[in-house]
Amino acid sequence: MKRDFYSSSIAQFLDTSSNEILGTLVRGSGFAIDVTQRDAWLEQINILKTVLTNREGRIYLEYAIPRMGKRIDTVLLIGPVIFVLEFKIGEKAFTSYAIDQVCDYALDLKNFHESSHNQFIAPVLIATDALAAPEIVCTTPQNDKLLVSIRCNPASLGHALDAVLLFATGNSDIDPEIWEAGRYCPTPTIIEGALALYKGHSVEDISRHEADKPDITLTSDAIDDIIRASRASGCKSICFVTGVPGAGKTLVGLNAATKHQDKDDGLYSVFLSGNGPLVAILREALARDHIQNELSQGRRLRKGEARSKVRAFIQPVHEFRDEGIRDPKAPIEHVALFDEAQRAWHQAKTADFLKS
């Protein structure tokens, strides 16, 4: 199962008609496309055909970041650089929202896509109707090969690509096959950041519950014992935690997800939920708290960076499932906590999980 709606070498992309590429995008999407989306894709394709003339590399349109539930407009692999392109069709200005969007895409790709961890990544925002674009500055403030966002219009996009490639001169070219085979895999720093972030909260900060704290402690301890015994014996176990609404079931799951993380020993855990609002609320609360903690110590942190850390262990179950379909190998996590909203899905998959 491909991550993108369309991918090819740049040479093949240039030799293929825009309508044929559009048809592949429509088929890849799996849903009806309205006129606005069709016209946006066509304009994007035509801009890329002009800019990529005489260039070598590989192109991916509508590329899905592993497990993040996001699609990047265009990913280009040219030489030693991964270009993350976000097109704003008809826009005259470079809005802060759009800048954050393309930066978050690049950050998630670097943090969660195994074969992108150590590569140069350049987030590029293209406002198609902008009359002028800021000066192109190539720099990596954190010394991690993740460039600051670049803003351009169609006329300056080619110059932006050249500037980044010049900046990355001397580094090895990316092998597209190896890059495409990259799996979901959070970087150790993201795991550490997520754990530190969660541990800064009290029980009351995360969840309201009607159960006494000893009940939650006993339940958590019992699950911890089962996890340790399962790992020691090399077997698989399933625990069902029941209780009235507000009893603290979600809190028990979050505690288990964060306690059983050992990057040195290859042990990872994840909290999965089909309850979209719950995932969003938990992530936002933790991210905001992290930003405030950093500010209190005189450091500024982008919300995208804080959110990226939280995504390491709080995820939508649908993305976990879809990634399992794409990737025939077992997921990296040894402990998966499913929120009660996915009870039916969990029961339907229990037999397959035990057989695997």
Side-chain angles (χ1 to χ4, degrees), residues 6 36 43 102 114 129 153 236 265 300-301 331 342:
Y6 172 93
T36 301
E43 184 167 353
V102 71
E114 186 177 26
D129 287 4
N153 56 19
K236 292 182 172 65
D265 204 16
R300 295 186 63 85
L301 181 70
Q342 284 301 307

Side-chain angles (χ1 to χ4, degrees), residues 256-305:
T258 54
K259 285 172 68 176
H260 295 278
Q261 305 270 7
D262 187 347
K263 66 182 179 63
D264 295 327
D265 204 16
L267 179 62
Y268 294 110
S269 305
V270 62
F271 178 85
L272 302 161
S273 177
N275 185 338
L278 172 65
V279 172
I281 289 169
L282 288 173
R283 284 177 168 180
E284 187 67 17
L286 291 169
R288 289 185 180 185
D289 185 77
H290 189 33
I291 291 170
Q292 290 301 316
N293 287 340
E294 291 294 300
L295 283 175
S296 67
Q297 298 178 45
R299 298 189 295 265
R300 295 186 63 85
L301 181 70
R302 288 182 60 252
K303 184 175 285 188
E305 294 179 70

Side-chain angles (χ1 to χ4, degrees), residues 224-237 260-268 334-335:
D224 292 345
D225 290 341
I226 293 170
I227 291 172
R228 283 191 289 267
S230 300
R231 192 170 194 216
S233 61
C235 68
K236 292 182 172 65
S237 303
H260 295 278
Q261 305 270 7
D262 187 347
K263 66 182 179 63
D264 295 327
D265 204 16
L267 179 62
Y268 294 110
H334 294 79
V335 182

Side-chain angles (χ1 to χ4, degrees), residues 178-196:
I178 294 176
W179 186 82
E180 289 177 17
R183 309 178 65 207
Y184 166 84
C185 182
T187 61
T189 54
I190 285 296
I191 294 292
E192 291 167 354
L195 291 173

Side-chain angles (χ1 to χ4, degrees), residues 25-36:
L25 286 170
V26 172
R27 289 192 298 273
S29 71
F31 50 80
I33 301 298
D34 59 26
V35 175
T36 301

